[in-house]
Amino acid sequence: MNNILCCNAGRRGRLMIDMRKTIGDSGNVVATDNWSVAPAIFFANKQYVVPKITHPNYIQEVLGICKKEDIKAIFTLIDPEIDLLASNKKKFEEIGVLPLCPSKQTADLCFDKYSMYLYLKNHGVNTPLTFHELDDFKAAYFKGEIQFPVFIKPRTGSGSVGAHKVNTMQDLENYYAENAFDYIIQEFMQGDCDADAYIDYYSKEVVSIFSKKKIETRIGGASKTISFKDQRLFDFVQSFMHLFDFAGAIDMDFFFRDGEYYLSEINPRFGGAYLHAYGAGVDFFKLIINNINGVTNEVRIGDYDEGVLMLMYDDVVITKEVDLLRDYHD
């Protein structure tokens, strides 16, 4: 059976629906969350309410679910859990589960945006000019190496929390003085786009890429996007992928300037707008099923139509309190 475990499904209900559509009768989608009213778990075949990822017994509970439900592949939808899965890859592999997550080293790089910047810079990969210390930024500013506006965001942030466009030195100093986050400062670049990619579990090759431009962005990610294809972007992605150790779905953010792409960051999980790729026929769940069955996926990059739009909208789950797996006050 092609049973897949999605950890901390949260609000990603449509992803559960799409996954079940692909798997059909060949397996089950099992979803977990630490809250019994997380909407997405209601769309899975089976649901579990688990402790928070900081609980000392969390991994043991997840391993127990894997054994009970005969899980064949596992992934998470939240950034803080990626490192946890990466640190415990062998435990899952030992019970026959494919952990669709990066290595520990790659997970650490993806979570720490400044370390990622230094790593990319040291390997000659185009990436926006970035500073961590305010004094270093000021020195570069007065040398004319960077100018306002700039973009600041938490060094280890998730989603768009704490991210701001900053127009003046005074505003920048105020943000640093508030000390709300451990900020990095990035040159402000336009022409942003992103791409979903699947890295085969066995070959470690990029076997699928879906790229899209943002039409509208809300807190946490893009809400309206349009698909496009550019061989320069596909080549760029393939040129740096050997520097990392991924497995499964990843989400990448880019900028485009003067005919060249710049890598901003990589999230080693299904991105919130992966739904666009699936709707355009780029089905990563089929690739997961192939890997579950020991099949190495063939490279099929850019196998979709341009000009396909994704337009997100609101929806709801209606259920009864008596049907919850646990009291929602817990």
Side-chain angles (χ1 to χ4, degrees):
M1 296 287 284
N2 299 312
N3 299 329
I4 300 175
L5 177 59
C6 173
C7 296
N8 283 288
R11 296 168 52 87
R12 306 286 291 277
R14 180 59 185 268
L15 191 72
M16 302 300 104
I17 293 170
D18 291 344
M19 187 160 28
R20 287 187 63 177
K21 181 179 178 181
T22 294
I23 294 175
D25 295 330
S26 74
N28 289 320
V29 173
V30 182
T32 72
D33 204 275
N34 60 51
W35 202 13
S36 61
V37 289
I41 64 175
F42 292 90
F43 296 100
N45 296 102
K46 296 186 178 182
Q47 309 82 21
Y48 285 86
V49 177
V50 296
K52 292 185 177 181
I53 63 172
T54 52
H55 193 283
N57 293 329
Y58 177 78
I59 284 294
Q60 289 305 314
E61 284 226 19
V62 175
L63 288 167
I65 294 170
C66 289
K67 294 174 183 177
K68 180 179 179 181
E69 298 296 343
D70 191 25
I71 297 299
K72 299 301 182 185
I74 182 174
F75 62 85
T76 181
L77 293 177
I78 62 169
D79 293 332
E81 190 175 9
I82 294 168
D83 180 76
L84 189 59
L85 290 183
S87 299
N88 291 276
K89 287 183 75 169
K90 287 186 178 180
K91 292 180 181 179
F92 291 101
E93 291 171 337
E94 287 171 356
I95 61 172
V97 179
L98 303 187
L100 300 177
C101 63
S103 66
K104 180 69 167 64
Q105 181 182 8
T106 294
D108 289 344
L109 279 172
C110 292
F111 194 63
D112 185 331
K113 296 179 178 63
Y114 189 64
S115 293
M116 174 66 90
Y117 163 73
L118 295 176
Y119 185 73
L120 294 174
K121 182 181 178 182
N122 288 338
H123 286 85
V125 179
N126 284 352
T127 189
L129 183 60
T130 303
F131 301 89
H132 181 227
E133 300 297 334
L134 182 58
D135 287 344
D136 292 339
F137 168 79
K138 286 182 176 180
Y141 174 75
F142 290 118
K143 289 179 183 178
E145 296 172 359
I146 190 169
Q147 59 186 4
F148 286 97
V150 295
F151 195 75
I152 65 170
K153 55 188 176 182
R155 178 171 179 168
T156 58
S158 182
S160 299
V161 177
H164 306 279
K165 180 181 178 182
V166 181
N167 293 305
T168 68
M169 185 68 78
Q170 184 62 59
D171 288 342
L172 183 61
E173 290 175 338
N174 289 342
Y175 277 118
Y176 266 73
E178 289 171 3
N179 202 29
F181 298 98
D182 182 14
Y183 282 116
I184 60 171
I185 308 165
Q186 193 175 71
E187 66 175 314
F188 186 79
M189 299 182 75
Q190 296 180 320
D192 60 322
C193 61
D194 62 56
D196 303 288
Y198 188 87
I199 289 74
D200 189 82
Y201 185 83
Y202 299 108
S203 70
K204 300 299 180 181
E205 285 190 271
V206 186
V207 294
S208 182
I209 301 174
F210 177 84
S211 53
K212 52 196 181 291
K213 295 177 181 178
K214 299 171 184 176
I215 298 173
E216 179 187 70
T217 301
R218 293 186 179 182
I219 294 175
S223 56
K224 293 182 176 66
T225 52
I226 184 167
S227 64
F228 77 100
K229 290 194 275 192
D230 188 341
Q231 189 60 46
R232 291 173 296 180
L233 177 58
F234 299 154
D235 292 342
F236 181 48
V237 171
Q238 291 177 297
S239 73
F240 64 70
M241 199 53 66
H242 71 281
L243 299 173
F244 303 99
D245 184 8
F246 293 115
I250 66 172
D251 169 49
M252 298 171 285
D253 292 333
F254 301 94
F255 294 101
F256 184 72
R257 183 176 68 188
D258 299 330
E260 292 188 318
Y261 285 96
Y262 291 74
L263 175 62
S264 176
E265 59 184 73
I266 305 176
N267 299 304
R269 55 166 170 75
F270 279 95
Y274 166 73
L275 303 174
H276 189 176
Y278 185 88
V282 181
D283 189 345
F284 287 179
F285 305 122
K286 286 183 179 179
L287 307 181
I288 293 174
I289 291 171
N290 285 342
N291 282 166
I292 285 173
N293 290 282
V295 176
T296 300
N297 288 290
E298 297 179 359
V299 177
R300 297 183 63 181
I301 292 174
D303 188 15
Y304 59 91
D305 290 333
E306 294 188 278
V308 178
L309 288 158
M310 180 199 71
L311 312 173
M312 283 189 179
Y313 66 97
D314 296 328
D315 204 347
V316 298
V317 169
I318 304 297
T319 190
K320 293 182 178 180
E321 185 175 4
V322 295
D323 293 330
L324 299 179
L325 296 176
R326 194 169 73 191
D327 190 325
Y328 66 89
H329 294 99
D330 293 345

